[in-house]
Amino acid sequence: MNITLVTVGKIKEKFFKDAIAEYSKRLTRYCKLNIIEVQDEKTPDNASLKDEQIIKDKEGEGILRYLKDNMYVVALDLKGKMLSSEELSGFIKDLEVRGDSNTAFIIGGSLGLSTSVLNRANYTVCFSKMTFPHQLIRVVLLEQIYRGYRIMKGEPYHK
């Protein structure tokens, strides 16, 4: 399975970088992982809704550049389906069984994802109704993918 994370923004904090590196290393046993960082657009204070839409559209163009036609695209979005760890594990297993071996997970910027990216998505997932920084949700996503593979393989980790 080839898993690509397309994320808006760079990771600046060392502790996030370390956690991402750790889960990326752990995942090498189960899949090929590629992480792509798309430039985030600066949002001025008191930005209008129109300004915010322009920013989301620019970030969306950056994301769409990396999505290939043969990719199954999963967008992280507040309106997406909430899954348990077991359900995410089953979802990944189903993708593999169906032959969707190129899967992209999309993490948007602080304003969320553009309509064009959401329209391209085959599926949307919501990790929580709370808002998290993109750096933290990247760690959480990688950990949950790792947990999903451990569940799928019947290996100890998930409790």
Side-chain angles (χ1 to χ4, degrees):
M1 173 80 124
N2 298 309
I3 294 179
T4 302
L5 265 61
V6 183
T7 67
V8 174
K10 293 195 177 296
I11 301 296
K12 298 174 184 95
E13 295 84 358
K14 183 182 180 324
F15 55 91
F16 285 134
K17 287 180 181 180
D18 290 346
I20 290 165
E22 177 62 27
Y23 285 110
S24 296
K25 183 178 86 175
R26 290 181 186 194
L27 279 166
T28 60
R29 290 183 54 204
Y30 306 104
C31 64
K32 182 176 182 234
L33 178 67
N34 184 27
I35 298 175
I36 298 168
E37 294 177 334
V38 174
Q39 168 100 24
D40 60 335
E41 299 293 323
K42 301 298 177 228
T43 304
D45 292 337
N46 301 320
S48 69
L49 289 177
K50 183 178 178 182
D51 291 336
E52 289 182 358
Q53 189 61 52
I54 291 168
I55 290 167
K56 285 197 309 188
D57 289 343
K58 275 187 178 179
E59 290 174 347
E61 289 170 14
I63 292 167
L64 291 170
R65 255 194 302 268
Y66 292 100
L67 301 181
K68 296 176 178 60
D69 289 342
N70 68 338
M71 285 180 157
Y72 188 93
V73 177
V74 180
L76 276 64
D77 183 70
L78 288 173
K79 295 178 185 151
K81 180 163 175 52
M82 294 185 86
L83 302 174
S84 68
S85 297
E86 294 86 358
E87 289 169 330
L88 180 64
S89 177
F91 177 77
I92 293 169
K93 184 176 183 177
D94 288 346
L95 289 174
E96 288 180 346
V97 169
R98 288 194 329 239
D100 286 316
S101 59
N102 289 312
T103 300
F105 287 87
I106 312 300
I107 301 172
S110 62
L111 300 175
L113 294 168
S114 69
T115 302
S116 58
V117 172
L118 291 171
N119 287 341
R120 171 60 181 88
N122 301 93
Y123 195 77
T124 55
V125 173
C126 177
F127 273 51
S128 173
K129 295 295 180 189
M130 293 183 226
T131 302
F132 295 101
H134 69 89
Q135 301 97 321
L136 180 58
I137 203 65
R138 192 184 312 185
V139 174
V140 172
L141 174 60
L142 288 171
E143 190 280 335
Q144 284 298 301
I145 293 170
Y146 173 70
R147 182 180 297 271
Y149 274 108
R150 299 289 293 199
I151 292 168
M152 195 184 315
K153 305 293 184 187
E155 298 170 347
Y157 178 76
H158 177 68
K159 299 285 183 218

